[in-house]
């Protein structure tokens, strides 16, 4: 038997991050598939909580997928954990309940990547958290789990968190170049 007691160090709101208006608008209204990466203890989960609470305040149906369940969010936000159900159970529940926005905290293994892919391709707005030492490393964690050509369709924004601040922002796009010598 193991017992883990979690006490928040500090709970931040999106306003506490001092985001410029363009990024804030992007995160609240345009970005639907956000990847938050960073080292352990860098503030990824705290930032994810702030975005999740903002979506709840904007009257979006919000839910979480966690392993372990350690997000400290409002009671109105439903939290799911693999401790109480399988990946298939959580997929079925989320597809039946049709949330507007979901945070997937700590994507780690092949089943997590496949669940993320299934949920993303159904149109659910997703923000997910992954351990990575640089922003681009978050994308590299996908390689081998998800087909390369589909990654830009699954992630539109990557935020790298370091020391509780956004240190880097990447946006992914799929671009097809006309081969040299062909008219467009």
């Amino acid at each position: 038997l193991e017992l883990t007691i979690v006490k928040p160090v500090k709970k931040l709101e999106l306003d506490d991050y001092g985001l410029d208006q363009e990024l804030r608008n992007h995160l609240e209204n345009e970005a639907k598939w956000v990847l938050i990466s960073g080292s352990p203890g860098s503030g990824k989960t705290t930032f994810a909580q702030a975005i999740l609470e903002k979506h709840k305040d904007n009257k979006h149906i919000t839910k979480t997928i966690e392993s372990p369940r350690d997000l400290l969010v409002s009671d109105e936000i439903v939290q799911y954990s693999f401790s109480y159900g399988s990946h298939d159970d959580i997929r079925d529940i989320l597809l039946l309940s049709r949330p507007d926005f979901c945070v997937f905290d700590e994507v780690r293994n092949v089943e997590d990547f496949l669940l993320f892919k299934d949920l993303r391709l159904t149109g659910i707005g997703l923000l997910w958290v992954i351990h990575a030492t640089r922003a681009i490393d978050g994308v590299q964690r996908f390689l081998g789990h998800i087909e390369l050509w589909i990654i830009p369709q699954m992630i539109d924004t990557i935020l790298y968190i370091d020391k509780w601040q956004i240190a880097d922002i990447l946006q992914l796009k799929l671009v097809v170049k006309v081969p040299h010598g062909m008219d467009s």
Side-chain angles (χ1 to χ4, degrees):
L1 181 64
E2 181 176 324
L3 177 65
T4 303
I5 299 173
V6 178
K7 179 180 178 187
V9 175
K10 187 172 186 180
K11 187 170 183 176
L12 299 174
E13 295 180 9
L14 207 51
D15 294 335
D16 297 326
Y17 285 92
L19 305 176
D20 66 38
Q21 191 57 41
E22 183 180 349
L23 177 58
R24 188 180 176 107
N25 183 54
H26 181 69
L27 290 175
E28 288 182 33
N29 303 311
E30 299 165 2
K32 297 294 182 195
W33 309 292
V34 178
L35 168 65
I36 297 177
S37 65
S39 301
S42 62
K44 301 178 301 295
T45 298
T46 303
F47 187 73
Q49 286 174 179
I51 292 177
L52 188 61
E53 290 288 347
K54 187 51 133 173
H55 277 278
K56 180 207 52 110
D57 292 345
N58 290 339
K59 307 295 185 217
H60 296 141
I61 299 169
T62 54
K63 302 186 184 250
T64 71
I65 305 168
E66 305 167 64
S67 183
R69 192 178 142 207
D70 61 354
L71 283 168
L72 303 168
V73 294
S74 304
D75 291 338
E76 299 90 358
I77 298 173
V78 177
Q79 295 176 272
Y80 297 108
S81 173
F82 297 119
S83 302
Y84 302 105
S86 69
H87 284 74
D88 288 337
D89 294 336
I90 291 176
R91 175 186 299 109
D92 291 345
I93 290 169
L94 286 172
L95 293 177
L96 288 171
S97 64
R98 299 182 193 110
D100 298 315
F101 193 77
C102 188
V103 168
F104 196 147
D105 193 26
E106 301 295 344
V107 176
R108 292 186 176 106
N109 55 45
V110 175
E111 292 85 9
D112 291 349
F113 282 98
L114 295 176
L115 176 57
F116 176 84
K117 177 182 172 183
D118 283 351
L119 295 175
R120 164 46 202 110
L121 294 177
T122 64
I124 295 172
L126 286 167
L127 179 145
W128 66 294
V129 178
I130 194 167
H131 288 261
T133 55
R134 297 177 302 158
I136 195 66
D137 292 342
V139 176
Q140 291 174 342
R141 298 272 315 267
F142 270 99
L143 301 178
H145 301 296
I146 306 293
E147 299 84 359
L148 180 62
W149 64 271
I150 206 168
I151 292 174
Q153 297 175 45
M154 295 180 60
I155 304 169
D156 60 16
T157 306
I158 301 170
L159 302 174
Y160 178 70
I161 307 289
D162 187 32
K163 298 177 186 165
W164 299 75
Q165 296 296 319
I166 297 175
D168 201 5
I169 302 169
L170 301 177
Q171 288 187 303
L172 297 181
K173 295 179 184 177
L174 180 62
V175 178
V176 179
K177 181 182 173 211
V178 177
H180 181 72
M182 289 185 72
D183 292 332
S184 51

